[in-house]
């Protein structure tokens, strides 16, 4: 009997076109979504609905928490103005109260078993479920130090002994083998590793990372239809087309002429 095949995705950020392309193009039996369905992109409701329709196992991300609870996303300083602007102008205008309650009720971590593998899943880091950063270029020692579950409800940290740790948040794919295999599928909706293709991971008999092209210009057109301020529109389009943060503007900064 072949192993059940799990599609692992994260950080869709309201990019319905990218998410739909991945969901429609791959073979899998179950979906694990590691958080951040909203902000930045033009279709938060459609993105959330698609994840519900496939019965995804879903986690709460820092942007989901910001929208649902009215708190800061605590994202990188260079992205905070863009995050706050798109949350106010797009996310909060297009999501229903029911959508926001759904996001509020999502768990911050999940533990499960996949074909005999003990799996711990979180949006950002076992040490900091919503806001920590586990980067691909960390040393083995730095990575090992992140493998502690600092649950605020527990008086003592718990060293993870799971076979597989799933996390997202950085928008950069990673697979590193330490005491656990650490797997980040990258961002399905807004990659930031200079490859604009949608990023994902598959867990089955093998564990592998993958990329797939989608219609970036369809998402770009939808962003333009929102009639955002130019600094925000140009920032979002640049990230989608280049897979980088090279041209992220703030309101007061000049933008390239297009």
């Amino acid at each position: 009997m072949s192993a059940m095949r799990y599609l692992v995705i994260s950080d869709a950020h309201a990019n319905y076109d990218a998410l739909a392309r991945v969901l429609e193009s791959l073979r899998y039996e179950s979906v694990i979504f590691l958080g951040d369905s909203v902000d930045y992109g033009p279709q938060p409701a459609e993105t959330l609905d698609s994840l519900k329709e496939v019965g995804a196992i879903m986690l709460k991300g820092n942007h989901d928490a910001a929208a649902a609870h009215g708190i800061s996303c605590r994202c990188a300083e260079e992205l905070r103005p863009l995050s706050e602007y798109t949350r106010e102008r797009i996310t909060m205008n297009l999501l229903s109260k029911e959508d926001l309650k759904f996001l509020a009720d999502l768990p911050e971590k999940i533990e499960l078993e996949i074909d005999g593998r003990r799996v711990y899943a979180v949006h950002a880091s076992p040490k900091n479920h919503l806001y920590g950063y586990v980067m691909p270029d960390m040393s083995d020692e730095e990575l090992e130090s992140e493998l502690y579950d600092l649950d605020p409800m527990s008086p003592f940290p718990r060293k993870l002994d799971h076979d597989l740790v799933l996390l997202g948040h950085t928008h950069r794919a990673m697979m590193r083998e330490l005491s656990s295999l650490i797997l980040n599928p990258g961002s399905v909706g807004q990659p930031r590793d200079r490859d604009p293709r949608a990023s994902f991971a598959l867990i089955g008999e093998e564990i592998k990372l993958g990329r797939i092209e989608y219609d970036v210009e369809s998402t770009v057109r939808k962003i333009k239809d929102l009639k955002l301020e130019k600094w925000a529109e140009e920032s979002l389009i640049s990230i989608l087309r280049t897979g980088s943060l090279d041209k992220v503007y703030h309101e007061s900064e000049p933008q390239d002429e297009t």
Side-chain angles (χ1 to χ4, degrees):
M1 183 177 178
S2 61
M4 188 169 178
R5 196 170 165 94
Y6 285 77
L7 170 64
V8 184
I9 49 178
S10 188
D11 297 279
H13 286 294
N15 187 341
Y16 171 78
D17 293 311
L19 176 64
R21 172 71 170 150
V22 169
L23 292 177
E24 293 166 359
S25 301
L26 300 172
R27 180 177 62 82
Y28 53 87
E29 286 75 50
S30 187
V31 177
I32 299 174
F33 180 71
L34 301 176
D36 277 359
S37 55
V38 303
D39 288 350
Y40 300 124
Q43 293 180 281
E46 292 87 345
T47 299
L48 195 55
D49 286 345
S50 290
L51 291 165
K52 291 178 183 178
E53 286 169 8
V54 297
I57 301 167
M58 294 181 64
L59 285 161
K60 183 187 295 179
N62 60 308
H63 286 266
D64 304 321
H69 302 297
I71 59 177
S72 171
C73 69
R74 291 169 58 181
C75 55
E77 193 65 37
E78 65 183 318
L79 284 166
R80 192 165 300 166
L82 187 61
S83 166
E84 292 173 350
Y85 179 84
T86 58
R87 188 172 312 118
E88 178 183 350
R89 287 289 302 271
I90 305 173
T91 306
M92 302 308 292
N93 282 336
L94 297 179
L95 289 187
S96 66
K97 291 181 179 178
E98 292 75 18
D99 290 332
L100 294 173
K101 184 179 186 308
F102 179 85
L103 292 177
D105 291 341
L106 289 173
E108 290 187 11
K109 66 175 183 177
I110 293 172
E111 297 180 63
L112 66 159
E113 185 172 303
I114 297 177
D115 294 320
R117 300 185 185 100
R118 295 164 299 157
V119 179
Y120 178 101
V122 69
H123 176 63
S125 163
K127 271 191 175 180
N128 191 335
H129 299 159
L130 294 179
Y131 308 110
Y133 283 91
V134 178
M135 302 301 293
D137 58 355
M138 280 181 166
S139 68
D140 287 353
E141 291 76 16
E142 290 172 318
L143 281 175
E144 195 70 47
S145 74
E146 292 293 332
L147 299 181
Y148 285 86
D149 183 354
L150 299 189
D151 190 327
M153 301 304 291
S154 173
F156 302 107
R158 178 177 59 133
K159 178 71 166 70
L160 298 185
D161 60 357
H162 296 67
D163 302 298
L164 180 59
V165 176
L166 304 178
L167 43 80
H169 189 50
T170 66
H171 295 224
R172 292 170 173 83
M174 176 180 71
M175 186 158 54
R176 291 272 294 274
E177 179 79 62
L178 296 172
S179 56
S180 303
L181 178 63
I182 303 173
L183 179 66
N184 186 330
S187 172
V188 69
Q190 200 190 69
R192 297 175 188 165
D193 56 2
R194 300 188 179 279
D195 183 344
R197 296 176 298 167
S199 191
F200 62 89
L202 287 168
I203 301 174
E205 294 179 356
E206 296 181 279
I207 298 175
K208 59 183 181 179
L209 295 165
R211 307 299 282 250
I212 193 167
E213 293 184 356
Y214 73 97
D215 189 352
V216 174
E217 294 308 310
S218 172
T219 307
V220 166
R221 288 191 294 273
K222 292 170 185 176
I223 288 172
K224 289 183 175 180
D225 287 344
L226 292 171
K227 306 299 182 185
L228 305 175
E229 293 178 26
K230 185 178 180 182
W231 69 271
E233 178 182 287
E234 291 299 319
S235 297
L236 294 171
I237 291 172
S238 175
I239 295 170
L240 291 174
R241 285 176 171 168
T242 68
S244 77
L245 301 179
D246 290 344
K247 293 183 179 180
V248 173
Y249 305 104
H250 293 183
E251 188 172 5
S252 60
E253 294 178 333
Q255 292 89 57
D256 292 343
E257 292 299 324
T258 58

